[in-house]
Amino acid sequence: MSVKQKLLGAFFIAVLAAVLLGLSSLVTTQYLGDLTVRMFDRPLMAINFSRSAQTVFATMERVDREARGSDAASATLAFEEIERLGRIFEEDLAVAERRSSGPQIGMLVKDIREEVSRWRGDAVASLKSPSDAHDATALAIRRELETLTQIAAEEGFLFRRNAATVIEQTRLWTIAFIVFVLIVCAMVAVWLARDIALPVDLMARSMTRLAGGEREVAVPFLKRGDEIGNMAKSLGVFKTAMFDVEEARARAEAATRAKSEFLAMMSHEVRTPMNGVLGMARLLLETRLNETQRNYARILIESASSLLTVLNDILDFSKLEAGKLDFAHADFDLRRLVESVVSLMEPRAAEKKIEIAAFFDPVVPRYLKGDSDRLRQVLLNLTGNAVKFTDQGRVSIGVEGQGGSGGGVRLRFVVKDTGLGIAKEAQAKLFSGFTQADSSISRRFGGTGLGLAISRKIVDLMGGEMGLDSELGSGSTFWFGVTLPIGTPPRVGPTPAPVRLRPLRILLAEDNLVNQKVVLGHMVPAGHTVDVVPNGRAAIEALRERTYDVVLMDMHMPEMDGTEATRMIRTFGGDHANVPIVAVTAGAMADEIRRCLDSGMNDYVVKPIHPGALTAALARVLGESAAAPPAEESLVDRLLSSADILDDTVIGLLESQLGADVVQSLVMDYLDAADRVIAEIDHARRAGDAEAWGRAAHSLKSVAGGLGLARVFQSTLAIEDACQAGDLDRAGIQTQALLVALSEGRAQLLERHPARTGSEPEN
């Protein structure tokens, strides 16, 4: 029965109880009123008319006595009065007889009538000659009337006693009926309270506790089939949804906390080989090479630099998304900045035989204050795109002044080209990350689609705005406006000499062979002596045996990492504890840098190592300078937010970095690893081993993420989170989702990179 039906039934019972109580009151009142009427109509009337008969007869006697011995006229009047009173007397007797309830009054009334009739007959004679017999008859009549009154009174007493009994019974029955109705109503009320009010109160308390954040709240009444059961089921859904939201928030917070670590790891993994490529290429250019070899080396450096640009774009985008991009505030030469952008773009423009030039509004100040590097980055992005998408014609950079106040000037930068142009429907999404106006453009021209998104965010953070005007086939005009303070022209003075370091004894703690060779290639030709150890523990032993001017300490090494080794070194006694330590890290995140400095390191350089940056860091720790470069950040948020099975941007970036052949080999390795991991997960699942289950998922996560398998990445991350929380049921559900994602991802990977069967496929 539903709650609605129960409430309607209770309402009907309440109405029925009220009606019954009203009817009982009505019946009781009517019955008692009738009883009162009968009491007045019978015994009281009998008594009253009996007494009235007594009074009338007494009046008749008085008239009779007064008329005795009077003249004839008076006697006649007296006789007429007696006759009139006699008729009244007869009526009173008749009423007393009718209102009586027993036979005694009837018999007595009959005798009284006879006696009064005889007395009245004697009254005429007694008027002339009174007699004792006449008076005796009157006396007898008076006695009989008194008896009549007494009998009527006794009947009235009996009637009253019986009426009192009836009234008491009526009262008791009425009370019993009311009590019965009240008991029924109370039972209904208790039933309603237990069946409806109490459950609703418990539900409300459960909802309040859930809303307050309590997790261990049991949802009652789930098995009921009425509205309260439906409410309980809805509350259960709400509880599950709330926990899911909390878990999602916890995962998001965990992802946010892990983002810095992930970006540091990705930076380390990418910058380490980049360090080898750029470092060895620079060293190669310093050797004797023929012109062809020198061209190859230059191309190698250019390619590595382009790859580093892509990496920096990704890290910049991540920092912008996290709101952690720092802005400098220093004087700079605006004309030189714009001209440097033109100079950088001129070789690419010359290759395509297009013209590139810059134009300045005469009212624009030359020296401004702000972040010249970020401004150059925006102009390079816009100008690079203009050159990329222009096959003939020209590209121009214009700087216009739009007034200003308070020591600042409003500038409008305009980059105009005569290239492809952009369709109206594509312009709205152009400033989104990883977005091209046309998907075919990325295949034809390459690129990640990050440049415009980064530029837009930088301009927004500088308090400006960016837009474009374009039509398909008619070229594009990108513009942005910012307000910058007017700067101070530089003072003319002697050019500072480059930093020159005395020959140093350097201890390098680095486990990667390529990185070892890069540092040696930079330091040894500069006259420094470098001892190399493979981990932090070996660095400690080396410091115990020798004295070094400085230690270059890698962060991630086997056996003992750089931070732990540094902490132990700082506990030494003597000069060994104070040796300057420079962190050599591929993790450019703020948290990573903070861990370096908190552990006791003096400075840091970021991989890939630039000779100037390394020399500057050594100079700082030796007392020449204390400046430090900004930190950097990576692509987990891309994989977490992607709805694709295979994210084209991520795998495309991998292909551009490593080449299709290497990626094809990675795909084969991944497929083999995936089969092994699924077997490990299945074994851990059967054994109920959450730690092994999560560890197996973790081992697949980074490989899948690197290949762009977004759904596999998301599922493995969810499994890892569930196993860490000890929620094996949720881990099982996510494992089923992982199997589906693996199957779909395998198909798309093999479609993009089919397995080779002994011969190279035709292009």
Side-chain angles (χ1 to χ4, degrees):
M1 183 183 297
S2 68
V3 172
K4 179 180 179 181
Q5 292 172 330
K6 292 174 182 177
L7 290 175
L8 287 175
F11 177 74
F12 175 76
I13 291 174
V15 171
L16 180 61
V19 170
L20 291 175
L21 288 174
L23 287 175
S24 67
S25 299
L26 180 62
V27 170
T28 301
T29 303
Q30 186 174 0
Y31 183 76
L32 294 177
D34 181 68
L35 186 64
T36 303
V37 170
R38 284 189 290 115
M39 177 178 283
F40 174 78
D41 190 52
R42 296 184 67 84
L44 290 179
M45 291 292 286
I47 293 169
N48 290 338
F49 279 92
S50 296
R51 288 178 176 171
S52 178
Q54 281 183 298
T55 303
V56 171
F57 184 75
T59 304
M60 290 170 65
E61 266 193 302
R62 180 178 57 78
V63 171
D64 179 66
R65 284 195 301 270
E66 290 176 353
R68 290 177 182 177
S70 61
D71 56 16
S74 297
T76 301
L77 291 173
F79 179 76
E80 290 176 354
E81 179 65 17
I82 291 172
E83 287 297 320
R84 184 183 68 80
L85 292 173
R87 289 191 296 271
I88 296 173
F89 180 78
E90 287 291 335
E91 291 175 358
D92 289 345
L93 286 180
V95 173
E97 183 180 14
R98 286 196 306 271
R99 299 296 192 239
S100 66
S101 57
Q104 291 180 328
I105 289 181
M107 295 174 61
L108 186 59
V109 167
K110 182 179 178 182
D111 293 339
I112 292 172
R113 281 196 182 101
E114 291 177 353
E115 290 293 333
V116 170
S117 177
R118 188 167 52 251
W119 181 84
R120 288 171 62 188
D122 295 340
V124 176
S126 67
L127 291 174
K128 298 178 179 180
S129 56
S131 64
D132 294 335
H134 181 72
D135 292 336
T137 300
L139 180 60
I141 291 172
R142 286 200 305 273
R143 290 176 177 172
E144 288 177 345
L145 287 172
E146 184 65 29
T147 302
L148 177 66
T149 302
Q150 290 178 356
I151 293 173
E154 290 176 358
E155 287 184 352
F157 175 76
L158 292 175
F159 188 92
R160 177 184 174 282
R161 188 175 61 182
N162 293 335
T165 302
V166 171
I167 291 171
E168 181 64 20
Q169 291 177 347
T170 303
R171 185 177 69 85
L172 293 176
W173 278 105
T174 303
I175 292 173
F177 180 75
I178 293 173
V179 170
F180 171 75
V181 172
L182 291 177
I183 289 174
V184 170
C185 292
M187 292 175 64
V188 172
V190 171
W191 173 70
L192 287 176
R194 294 182 59 185
D195 196 71
I196 298 177
L198 181 60
V200 170
D201 181 64
L202 290 175
M203 294 284 289
R205 293 184 183 182
S206 297
M207 293 179 68
T208 302
R209 292 172 62 192
L210 283 173
E214 293 187 37
R215 298 182 63 90
E216 301 301 325
V217 179
V219 179
F221 314 114
L222 286 171
K223 296 183 179 180
R224 288 182 56 151
D226 54 9
E227 290 87 344
I228 292 178
N230 294 335
M231 289 174 60
K233 294 181 180 68
S234 300
L235 182 59
V237 173
F238 169 75
K239 175 183 176 182
T240 302
M242 187 183 74
F243 289 166
D244 289 343
V245 169
E246 289 182 355
E247 290 174 0
R249 182 179 65 183
R251 287 197 299 271
E253 291 174 352
T256 301
R257 290 192 300 268
K259 186 175 182 179
S260 296
E261 298 176 5
F262 178 81
L263 290 175
M265 180 270 294
M266 288 295 292
S267 178
H268 180 272
E269 295 298 326
V270 176
R271 288 173 182 269
T272 295
M274 285 294 296
N275 180 46
V277 172
L278 287 173
M280 298 305 293
R282 290 190 182 102
L283 292 175
L284 184 62
L285 280 175
E286 296 176 6
T287 63
R288 291 185 178 181
L289 300 173
N290 60 39
E291 191 60 31
T292 300
Q293 293 169 333
R294 188 168 296 277
N295 286 335
Y296 288 165
R298 290 195 184 100
I299 292 171
L300 178 61
I301 291 176
E302 290 175 1
S303 299
S305 298
S306 298
L307 184 58
L308 186 59
T309 299
V310 174
L311 173 63
N312 289 335
D313 279 349
I314 294 174
L315 295 176
D316 278 346
F317 187 76
S318 299
K319 286 192 291 184
L320 286 165
E321 288 292 307
K324 296 181 179 179
L325 193 66
D326 297 322
F327 287 87
H329 194 69
D331 294 322
F332 66 93
D333 186 334
L334 177 62
R335 182 177 293 274
R336 179 174 295 179
L337 184 150
V338 176
E339 289 175 349
S340 70
V341 172
V342 174
S343 298
L344 287 171
M345 292 293 108
E346 275 181 342
R348 293 171 57 185
E351 290 178 4
K352 303 185 74 172
K353 297 180 180 180
I354 60 175
E355 180 184 352
I356 182 169
F359 303 93
F360 294 89
D361 189 335
V363 302
V364 175
R366 178 164 183 171
Y367 296 100
L368 299 170
K369 188 182 293 291
D371 194 326
S372 59
D373 290 336
R374 295 301 175 190
L375 196 58
R376 181 185 289 106
Q377 182 179 0
V378 174
L379 286 172
L380 281 172
N381 276 328
L382 297 182
T383 309
N385 281 343
V387 172
K388 180 190 295 186
F389 298 120
T390 301
D391 292 329
Q392 57 183 2
R394 62 182 300 175
V395 173
S396 64
I397 304 174
V399 184
E400 305 170 359
Q402 295 183 317
S405 61
V409 61
R410 182 70 178 176
L411 301 177
R412 178 182 169 93
F413 296 84
V414 180
V415 179
K416 187 174 183 179
D417 65 64
T418 58
L420 300 175
I422 303 169
K424 294 293 184 184
E425 59 272 12
Q427 293 180 18
K429 62 179 182 179
L430 195 61
F431 293 102
S432 302
F434 301 97
T435 299
Q436 295 275 16
D438 184 347
S439 59
S440 63
I441 290 178
S442 62
R443 296 186 179 92
R444 179 180 172 189
F445 294 98
T448 62
L450 283 174
L452 288 178
I454 293 172
S455 299
R456 176 70 167 272
K457 289 182 179 294
I458 289 175
V459 172
D460 288 344
L461 291 173
M462 294 175 71
E465 68 280 338
M466 176 178 287
L468 78 153
D469 302 301
S470 181
E471 290 185 8
L472 196 61
S474 300
S476 302
T477 300
F478 284 83
W479 58 267
F480 66 94
V482 293
T483 300
L484 296 173
I486 298 175
T488 304
R491 291 179 297 176
V492 179
T495 302
V499 176
R500 294 185 179 277
L501 300 174
R502 61 179 172 82
L504 302 172
R505 177 172 289 279
I506 301 171
L507 175 63
L508 171 63
E510 170 66 66
D511 63 307
N512 186 280
L513 181 62
V514 175
N515 286 336
Q516 293 174 1
K517 291 182 178 180
V518 169
V519 174
L520 289 170
H522 290 324
M523 295 290 100
V524 173
H528 305 299
T529 301
V530 182
D531 291 342
V532 181
V533 293
N535 55 59
R537 193 177 304 281
I540 292 172
E541 296 301 324
L543 280 171
R544 293 184 190 277
E545 297 175 359
R546 283 189 182 180
T547 299
Y548 292 93
D549 297 307
V550 67
V551 178
L552 299 179
M553 185 77 73
D554 185 26
M555 289 291 291
H556 302 280
M557 295 179 291
E559 296 190 37
M560 181 181 291
D561 63 19
T563 55
E564 185 179 356
T566 300
R567 291 191 183 96
M568 294 190 66
I569 290 170
R570 295 309 184 203
T571 62
F572 289 173
D575 294 336
H576 293 292
N578 299 318
V579 62
I581 300 176
V582 177
V584 183
T585 176
M589 290 297 298
D591 290 344
E592 177 102 353
I593 302 305
R594 189 178 301 110
R595 283 197 297 271
C596 295
L597 301 179
D598 290 346
S599 68
M601 297 182 184
N602 302 90
D603 211 324
Y604 68 96
V605 291
V606 178
K607 298 176 184 178
I609 297 173
H610 190 280
L614 180 56
T615 301
L618 293 175
R620 285 194 296 272
V621 299
L622 293 172
E624 296 293 333
S625 175
E632 295 185 348
E633 292 187 46
S634 177
L635 269 181
V636 166
D637 50 351
R638 171 73 185 181
L639 294 168
L640 289 175
S641 61
S642 178
D644 297 330
I645 298 170
L646 179 63
D647 192 289
D648 185 71
T649 299
V650 177
I651 193 170
L653 183 61
L654 192 67
E655 291 165 344
S656 68
Q657 291 175 337
L658 303 181
D661 290 342
V662 175
V663 173
Q664 202 276 341
S665 175
L666 289 176
V667 168
M668 296 300 106
D669 292 341
Y670 159 75
L671 295 177
D672 292 339
D675 292 337
R676 292 195 302 272
V677 169
I678 289 301
E680 293 174 8
I681 287 178
D682 184 62
H683 179 74
R685 184 179 183 179
R686 293 177 184 275
D689 188 344
E691 183 179 355
W693 196 344
R695 188 169 57 247
H698 177 80
S699 68
L700 185 61
K701 180 179 67 175
S702 60
V703 180
L707 288 172
L709 293 168
R711 293 190 185 175
V712 175
F713 183 88
Q714 293 162 8
S715 296
T716 50
L717 179 61
I719 293 171
E720 193 175 4
D721 288 344
C723 290
Q724 288 176 355
D727 190 348
L728 298 187
D729 291 337
R730 181 158 58 89
I733 295 172
Q734 293 297 337
T735 298
Q736 295 300 320
L738 172 62
L739 295 175
V740 175
L742 284 170
S743 177
E744 295 172 341
R746 176 189 292 269
Q748 292 203 10
L749 279 176
L750 290 177
E751 181 180 353
R752 190 175 183 117
H753 293 281
R756 298 178 181 177
T757 57
S759 62
E760 294 291 331
E762 296 182 1
N763 293 326

